[in-house]
Amino acid sequence: MTHPTDTRPPRPLDRYFGISAAGSSVPQELRAGLTTFLTMSYILFVNPQVLGSAITVPNAPLQLLMTTAIAAAFGSLAMGLIARYPFAQAPGMGLNAFFAFTVVQGMGVPWQTALGAVFISGALFVILSAVGARQAIVRAIPLSLKFAITAGIGAFLAFLGLRSAGIVVSNPATLLGLGDLSAPGAWLAVAGLIISAALMRRRVNGAVLIGILVTSAAAILLKLPVFAGGPDGAMQAFPGFGGRLLGVIDTPVWPGSLVGQLDLAGAFGLGLLSVVFTFFFVDFFDATGTLTGLAQKAGYLDSNGDMPRARRTFAMDGLAAMFGAFMGTSTTTAYVESASGIGEGGRTGLSAVTVGGLFLLSMFLWPLAAAIPGAATAPALILVGALMMEGIRHIDWDDLGESLPAFLTIIAMPLTFSIANGVSFGVITYCAVNALTGRARRVHPILYGVAALLLARYVFLSEG
């Protein structure tokens, strides 16, 4: 880091990413990127499982893993190098399930045509970003909702962590319930949470990453059944690396059966317009909400709630979706797990570049990612989720026109398992309550238009 009294120009890396200006350092950015990668590397294995139920190609699991890694690497590198923010990207959860189960299996749409729909929706993102429409929408969202979006993402992250640890489970009587706290995954996650929180409280650098590595090592050494992939989907002890070179190196495979297979002509068909716009609406507000929340957490929003370089940032999100569709995967988008790296101190695009590089490396070292169980990354999600709740103290809870939309934004994200739904509920409620209580002019005109579109989406595209 450049000393304040040092008159020498900053080194090219520092100057390009603005590392010193952001109060960070190269080691801190690299550590943050590694933390983000570890918390989202599960997508390398989950995305092929989800898409594999709909995409039938030779050696589908490995080809889908490779195209997932390539799409995540491209999206993260684009965000880091061009937008210069610490926001990693990868094929999004939720949209991959909509792609596989609703569009391909449920509607009988060929997977090639569904990829075409994803590509078109990404192109729409880029166009709207280039003309400034996405930035205008973000500016129209009041500060109370922006704080609520950040807090809602925190609640969503914590819920993901609790679910991954088996502490919160589904319950047929109450929808959700308390899991088996005597299970190895649960107490391993609790131990990791306490370790990471204690280290962070003592201001130890790399606290979150240390927690992940310590609990992963404990799971392997103690042979705890916390790793996925056992018979009939049961959890198992770490199975080892097999006979691979040095234990962790394996040969990458080019996903030739997936690359360039998208069917744009079929996606433009009248019958698929609803699919295209469902992809568009869901990812638009999911990604916009995620990027806004992450920017607020990283301290990049100014007093007006604007994000510097917003146009190129949102454009990189759309470009990543287009590239991912070309490579053969569902929508690539900004990952909420980037908050773990931000919590570790990541403040510049070097963190996202690190994530992108690690995804490329995972094409050779992907067996190593299997050594990090979900129970080890769960504490990072819970801890960062708690830190992201800080902004709710800025919300005026005495004003129902501010507090109710904020509350619905926060609570809807984990309960509906969707950032997009949380943003939508907050925007619609904010417009309705203020319009009906004589404060219609308090709402930006653009926000009324957004609310109308969101209502139309729920009425006419409810299958998404």
Side-chain angles (χ1 to χ4, degrees):
M1 185 180 296
T2 304
H3 194 275
T5 60
D6 192 349
T7 58
R8 293 175 299 174
R11 288 173 292 181
L13 188 68
D14 193 337
R15 183 170 60 249
Y16 182 79
F17 288 109
I19 297 172
S20 296
S24 186
S25 65
V26 172
Q28 183 170 305
E29 294 297 312
L30 297 178
R31 186 172 62 244
L34 177 58
T35 300
T36 295
F37 174 77
L38 290 177
T39 58
M40 63 185 290
S41 61
Y42 67 86
I43 197 62
L44 289 170
F45 306 98
V46 177
N47 198 50
Q49 291 175 3
V50 175
L51 296 184
S53 62
I55 296 178
T56 54
V57 294
N59 199 11
L62 188 54
Q63 287 206 61
L64 285 167
L65 185 149
M66 292 297 160
T67 205
T68 299
I70 294 171
F74 176 88
S76 299
L77 289 171
M79 186 66 75
L81 290 172
I82 301 176
R84 287 178 285 175
Y85 280 119
F87 310 147
Q89 301 195 86
M93 291 296 295
L95 280 170
N96 57 3
F98 173 72
F99 178 101
F101 303 126
T102 301
V103 177
V104 178
Q105 293 186 347
M107 300 175 62
V109 176
W111 60 267
Q112 297 91 336
T113 306
L115 288 175
V118 172
F119 185 92
I120 295 170
S121 68
L124 291 174
F125 297 154
V126 173
I127 293 171
L128 289 179
S129 300
V131 300
R134 292 182 75 173
Q135 303 89 292
I137 292 173
V138 171
R139 293 192 192 100
I141 297 175
L143 279 175
S144 62
L145 282 187
K146 288 177 179 175
F147 286 122
I149 288 170
T150 304
I153 291 174
F156 187 44
L157 277 174
F159 177 71
L160 290 175
L162 292 169
R163 190 188 69 152
S164 180
I167 297 175
V168 172
V169 297
S170 61
N171 186 303
T174 61
L175 297 182
L176 296 175
L178 183 66
D180 182 6
L181 296 185
S182 66
W187 61 260
L188 182 70
V190 171
L193 180 61
I194 293 173
I195 291 171
S196 296
L199 291 174
M200 184 172 287
R201 180 65 179 82
R202 299 178 70 88
R203 301 185 184 279
V204 174
N205 291 331
V208 176
L209 179 58
I210 292 172
I212 293 173
L213 297 179
V214 167
T215 48
S216 297
I220 294 173
L221 294 175
L222 298 176
K223 298 181 179 180
L224 301 178
V226 294
F227 293 87
D232 301 322
M235 304 300 282
Q236 61 178 350
F238 183 61
F241 297 112
R244 300 181 179 92
L245 179 63
L246 299 179
V248 298
I249 300 176
D250 209 338
T251 305
V253 173
W254 178 249
S257 302
L258 297 170
V259 178
Q261 296 301 308
L262 67 171
D263 178 12
L264 291 175
F268 274 114
L270 182 62
L272 285 186
L273 285 180
S274 64
V275 175
V276 171
F277 282 104
T278 297
F279 274 124
F280 172 77
F281 273 117
V282 174
D283 190 45
F284 181 94
F285 287 99
D286 185 270
T288 301
T290 298
L291 290 170
T292 302
L294 292 175
Q296 195 276 331
K297 176 61 181 174
Y300 276 112
L301 295 186
D302 60 24
S303 58
N304 296 319
D306 293 334
M307 178 172 58
R309 306 186 301 280
R311 186 169 300 196
R312 73 176 73 169
T313 302
F314 290 128
M316 290 308 101
D317 173 64
L319 186 63
M322 294 173 67
F323 180 83
F326 177 79
M327 291 302 302
T329 184
S330 54
T331 307
T332 301
T333 186
Y335 251 58
V336 67
E337 283 85 352
S338 301
S340 63
I342 293 172
E344 193 61 41
R347 291 295 181 271
T348 75
L350 184 56
S351 289
V353 169
T354 301
V355 175
L358 289 172
F359 270 113
L360 288 177
L361 189 61
S362 70
M363 297 176 66
F364 298 87
L365 301 177
W366 58 267
L368 187 62
I372 309 295
T377 58
L381 299 178
I382 298 170
L383 183 57
V384 172
L387 296 175
M388 294 185 75
M389 298 297 290
E390 179 268 341
I392 62 174
R393 62 190 175 93
H394 300 294
I395 298 171
D396 185 0
W397 293 102
D398 293 325
D399 184 348
L400 200 61
E402 300 284 336
S403 61
L404 178 61
F407 172 75
L408 290 176
T409 298
I410 296 170
I411 201 69
M413 289 188 190
L415 292 185
T416 66
F417 211 75
S418 169
I419 295 172
N421 283 337
V423 176
S424 300
F425 290 2
V427 168
I428 293 171
T429 307
Y430 185 86
C431 292
V433 171
N434 282 284
L436 295 174
T437 54
R439 298 190 296 183
R441 293 185 178 180
R442 185 179 186 178
V443 182
H444 196 290
I446 290 178
L447 209 61
Y448 282 119
V450 171
L453 289 173
L454 290 172
L455 281 173
R457 181 247 159 182
Y458 283 117
V459 172
F460 298 109
L461 303 176
S462 58
E463 71 273 12

